[in-house]
Structure formats: C-alpha cells, structure tokens
Amino acid sequence: MQKASQMPYDARVTVTTVRLEGRMADRDTWTAGSCSLDKALQAVGSRSALLLMREAFYGATRFDELARRVGITEAVASSRLKELVELGLMERRPYQEPGQRTRQEYVLTEMGQDLAPAALALMQWGDRWLQDGRGNPVSLTHTDCGEPVRIEARCAADHHVGPGEVSARFNRSYRR
Amino acid sequence: MQKASQMPYDARVTVTTVRLEGRMADRDTWTAGSCSLDKALQAVGSRSALLLMREAFYGATRFDELARRVGITEAVASSRLKELVELGLMERRPYQEPGQRTRQEYVLTEMGQDLAPAALALMQWGDRWLQDGRGNPVSLTHTDCGEPVRIEARCAADHHVGPGEVSARFNRSYRR
DNA sequence: CTGTATCCCAGCGGATACTG
DNA sequence: CAGTATCCGCTGGGATACAG
C-alpha cells in the first residue's frame, strides 16, 4: 500500500480536449452567469470558500479549527461559512458531548460533498503543473486498494473519455 | 445519440468523501500556498481566467473572440491572457492565412488542456446544484458513443472510487 | 483586429478589538 | 470556544479612450 502511493499522483491525468460540435457562432456571447461553470465560480469561486471546503473534506468541523487550518481570520471564516451554509453546502448544527457544554459543528451536505471532485481536480492539476519541488503535502489513495486517486472523465456507458473525445453541443441561452 | 444525452448530465455524479488517515493534528495549519489546491487557485482561480479557459476548450483562439464570448472587457482579457501565457497554459502564436494579413492565436498547451477536467468538474457541480430551471446551455458527450460525460474519481488500479473510499495521508509541510 | 492605458468601484481578505 | 464589528489595503474587473 506504500509502494505505488509514494508518488502522490501518477502522470496519467486525463487530458480532455473539447471538440466543438454545436452551432456556436463567432458572435455568440454567454449571458452572464448562464453557464454552470460561471454560476459555480460566482458561488464558491473564492479562495477561502474552496479552502474551507477542503478542510471540511479532510474532516474539520469546528469553527476555529476550520479557520486556523485554512489560515484565514475568524472574520473571513465567519462570513464565508455563513455563505456556504446559506448556499446549502454545509449545515450548522449544535451538538453535545456528554459532560461537555454545547458546541457547534459544520457538516457537509450532499451538495457540499459533491464539490469534492472539483476541488480534487484542481488540486491534481496544481500538483502536476505548479510543483515547487516539495510536492503536495497530502496524497490521496483509494481506501480499498491503496492506489493513488485521480480525477478523470468517463461517459455514462462507463468508457474512459480520453483526449479529444468530448463533443460539446450548445442548446440555447445565447444572445447577441 | 440523442435520447440519453437530452439530460445534459446524469445524476450519478461521484461523491467523494475523504477519510482522514494521516496525522493531521488539530493545531496544524497549512503553510500558505503549500497545498496544490491553494497554488492552483492563486494561479487560475479568478473568474475571468477560468472562463477564458472554457472558451479555449470550446475552440476559441482569437483575442476578440475570447473576450467577447466570456463577456469581459478587452483590458481584462489582455492582462488575463498574458498571465495565462506566462504561466504556460496558452501559447501565443502568429499565423498567416494565404492572402490574409498576420493574425494572432491563443493555443492551449498541454498544461492548459489538462485543466479541462477541473473546469468540467466545476461545471458539472454547478449544473447539478445551481439550477435555475434553464439548465446548462451546453451538454458534453463522448464523441465515440454519444453518452453524456461526467467527471469522477478513479484509482490507478482503475477502480471506480465511490463515496467515502478516499484516504488522505499527510506527508509534511505543516508548521506551527 | 489586437491590443494598451487610465480611471474607478466593489468585494475579498488581513488586523485588531470586542461579546456570549 | 464561537463568533461579530470596524477599518483598510489590494486586486479583479467594468467603462472609456487611444494605438499599431
């Protein structure tokens, strides 16, 4: 379980070249926020939001723990966490350990959990292309077999989707 | 090829819950920028950068085409594209169509292509969770079979990595 | 067509101080 | 421990004008 996972991620990262298929004219423009990528960026695109989500993926639940690990001030953590709760990525719930006083914890919802692949994909990219010689201090492995985990594109028929095998079809929502 | 891909993405998005395995103490803090996710965010985390990359994935190469499709001003496009070229995600190359004057084009490098899964993962997440009723105006399909494409976690042994099957091991680079 | 140069504003996020 | 309140600097990004 140690041998293969010494190198945090292997180099076989999926390269996905999108091949245009629909009719997107040269003059076409996205209406602001019409693309899901745009919406996602506006919702959780800030550094602090994604970094807080990262720590939540790693199991942090308490306010000061989240703030300290990410390295942001409590003020920033406070407003960002509030946003994440309002958006539905986290739930804030009080809990009581026997003999202890009441505490708060931030728990990922399914919506929040579902952001993990996106965060991991970014991490994987940074790990491969923005190396500073030290490497990523965290390596992710498949619990069942110990092999390193990577993010890749698959289709609904469960084929691996390789470079240049993606077609984009544009439906509507363009203007001008 | 049309039937299954009418619904832009299916709901079987991979949910990846990271299970902590290494020794990350409560008091641990990331050194700023030590995590690959952080580095990636600092490099290409801005809205305009990711949206420009999206258009490049869709095949846009010319300056004004990129700027107009993203819906940002030329000033922003200029500085952002310059950054992307300096970082190595794009190459700027002049080209000459016979009988035409010289033009510039921005071409994705391998580093740039490799960011596609991250962008698609974010898009997929937004598509699922930030719906406004209109849906994502673009649907992505596997060119070979026409089935919708999704981003998911796999391990090096080519197992599908499902919810809660990821273990994180922390190596070093913590402080305090 | 492919940019560059200014001006300006809103929002992110740091620092510090203060509450329950 | 779990926040809130202020103040304030930096940068992303819009608008407009100009240049090769």
Side-chain angles (χ1 to χ4, degrees), chain A residues 55-138:
Chain A
E55 291 311 314
F57 297 143
Y58 290 160
T61 58
R62 294 208 316 283
F63 177 84
D64 76 314
E65 186 184 16
L66 288 160
R68 191 181 51 249
R69 285 192 183 176
V70 172
I72 55 179
T73 63
E74 289 96 342
V76 174
S78 174
S79 63
R80 204 64 55 222
L81 284 170
K82 191 178 297 180
E83 283 179 24
L84 291 173
V85 168
E86 281 166 4
L87 283 166
L89 285 89
M90 287 186 177
E91 271 173 20
R92 189 162 166 273
R93 63 173 70 145
Y95 72 104
Q96 181 98 256
E97 284 177 1
Q100 301 279 22
R101 68 180 178 82
T102 307
R103 295 193 172 178
Q104 303 292 328
E105 63 176 354
Y106 290 87
V107 186
L108 289 173
T109 62
E110 191 192 350
M111 182 187 184
Q113 299 276 8
D114 198 35
L115 190 62
L120 295 185
L122 267 172
M123 192 182 303
Q124 169 177 284
W125 181 84
D127 202 29
R128 179 174 183 196
W129 296 102
L130 304 177
Q131 279 299 4
D132 54 0
R134 295 178 308 169
N136 194 341
V138 52

Side-chain angles (χ1 to χ4, degrees), chain B residues 95-149:
Chain B
Y95 72 103
Q96 181 98 257
E97 283 176 1
Q100 301 279 20
R101 66 179 180 82
T102 307
R103 296 192 171 177
Q104 303 293 327
E105 64 177 356
Y106 291 87
V107 185
L108 290 173
T109 61
E110 191 191 350
M111 181 186 185
Q113 299 277 7
D114 198 35
L115 190 62
L120 295 184
L122 267 172
M123 193 182 303
Q124 169 175 285
W125 180 84
D127 202 30
R128 179 172 183 195
W129 296 102
L130 305 176
Q131 278 300 5
D132 55 359
R134 295 178 307 167
N136 193 342
V138 53
S139 48
L140 303 175
T141 55
H142 188 195
T143 305
D144 296 0
C145 71
E147 295 295 319
V149 168

Side-chain angles (χ1 to χ4, degrees), chain A residues 37 41, chain B residues 44-54 115 119 122:
Chain A
L37 172 59
L41 288 172
Chain B
V44 295
S46 69
R47 194 183 95 104
S48 56
L50 253 358
L51 260 30
L52 283 169
M53 293 302 293
R54 177 195 66 189
L115 190 62
L122 267 172

Side-chain angles (χ1 to χ4, degrees), chain B residues 63-64 78 92 101 106:
Chain B
F63 177 85
D64 76 315
S78 174
R92 190 163 165 270
R101 66 179 180 82
Y106 291 87

